[in-house]
Amino acid sequence: MKIKTILFAFLAMICLPVVAQEQKMTEAEAASFRQSVNVVSKKITSLATDFTQFKHMDFLTKDIETSGKMFFKEPDKLLWQYKKPYNYTIVFKNGKILINDEGKKSAMDVGSSKIFAKLNKLIVGSVSGNLFDDKEFAITCYKGKDFNIAKLIPKDATLKKYLKQIELHFDKQEHTVSQVRLVESAEDYTKIVFKNKVLNAKVDDAVFVN
């Protein structure tokens, strides 16, 4: 399966434009914010949450809305389980990407491609909030009305072909990711909104069987 097919499959299933005013953080504010997020993310051993996803494409008059459940378990097990309007799951574990499309299964070895490895790290990092790597991204932090926002521009030329910018919206009280916005082009973007988050509860390994 081609790299673009895998990436677009994820993006097509995993945003609405940000309309609230944002104010760029000072260097001191950004450093404090990133430190708070790093402290919390290091304590996250598991995460279970419902999500709603909005896929905006320039040629469509209406955003594509999907919903389901997401599970994460340290160090790198991740499951996206789409329930509506179709059944589709993507599992990241043990260096592999496993896909189940209405019973049609396929697998990809993450280690077979540099871009797959970066994609895996990106998705896990987006969920856990552990994505503040200055070597991989140019990072700018903002204060919004309801969220603190980190905007990350990939430095890797190959990844940048698929993603122009990643926006992570953090709850101001918990310092955990509440929304992820993936900007693919000037016109196309994907937004995921997490709800009913449960941190550090027991998540059985059987959950990640695809």
Side-chain angles (χ1 to χ4, degrees):
M1 188 176 292
K2 293 183 179 180
I3 293 173
K4 182 174 282 191
T5 303
I6 287 286
L7 182 57
F8 283 177
F10 171 71
L11 293 177
M13 296 170 313
I14 52 164
C15 220
L16 299 171
V18 179
V19 296
Q21 280 193 332
E22 301 167 4
Q23 181 181 354
K24 186 177 179 180
M25 292 184 182
T26 64
E27 289 187 12
E29 288 173 331
S32 176
F33 161 58
R34 291 169 63 166
Q35 176 64 22
S36 297
V37 170
N38 285 333
V39 168
V40 171
S41 66
K42 288 178 180 178
K43 295 179 180 178
I44 296 176
T45 59
S46 69
L47 171 65
T49 182
D50 299 323
F51 72 86
T52 302
Q53 177 179 299
F54 304 89
K55 173 67 179 177
H56 178 88
M57 303 182 75
D58 185 53
F59 61 87
L60 297 178
T61 57
K62 186 178 180 180
D63 291 343
I64 300 171
E65 182 175 340
T66 53
S67 61
K69 289 184 172 294
M70 188 277 294
F71 295 90
F72 166 73
K73 184 177 182 179
E74 277 283 351
D76 59 358
K77 289 185 175 68
L78 183 66
L79 167 71
W80 292 93
Q81 188 175 48
Y82 295 85
K83 293 289 191 178
K84 295 181 180 180
Y86 44 73
N87 292 314
Y88 191 106
T89 62
I90 302 178
V91 175
F92 296 81
K93 70 173 184 178
N94 302 327
K96 294 186 179 296
I97 302 174
L98 309 175
I99 296 176
N100 187 335
D101 183 1
E102 299 281 359
K104 184 178 179 180
K105 298 182 179 182
S106 58
M108 175 63 64
D109 186 351
V110 173
S112 65
S113 168
K114 176 183 175 182
I115 189 64
F116 281 143
K118 287 184 178 292
L119 173 61
N120 184 66
K121 183 179 179 181
L122 167 64
I123 297 169
V124 171
S126 296
V127 170
S128 65
N130 188 19
L131 204 60
F132 289 151
D133 187 343
D134 291 309
K135 294 180 180 179
E136 295 284 350
F137 303 98
I139 304 170
T140 310
C141 300
Y142 296 84
K143 297 180 290 185
K145 179 181 179 182
D146 300 313
F147 304 100
N148 286 321
I149 304 164
K151 297 185 179 182
L152 302 87
I153 298 176
K155 293 181 179 180
D156 181 84
T158 303
L159 183 58
K160 204 170 182 178
K161 290 180 181 178
Y162 306 109
L163 283 175
K164 303 302 181 186
Q165 182 169 279
I166 304 104
E167 297 179 8
L168 304 179
H169 293 232
F170 291 85
D171 180 275
K172 287 190 173 184
Q173 301 300 319
E174 295 182 345
H175 302 296
T176 58
V177 177
S178 294
Q179 297 181 25
V180 178
R181 188 173 187 259
L182 306 170
V183 181
E184 298 133 46
S185 69
E187 297 81 19
D188 300 336
Y189 45 82
T190 303
K191 175 180 174 180
I192 311 167
V193 179
F194 298 120
K195 293 183 178 180
N196 305 319
K197 288 183 294 183
V198 179
L199 296 174
N200 300 331
K202 183 179 179 180
V203 177
D204 194 271
D205 286 343
V207 169
F208 304 96
V209 174
N210 192 19

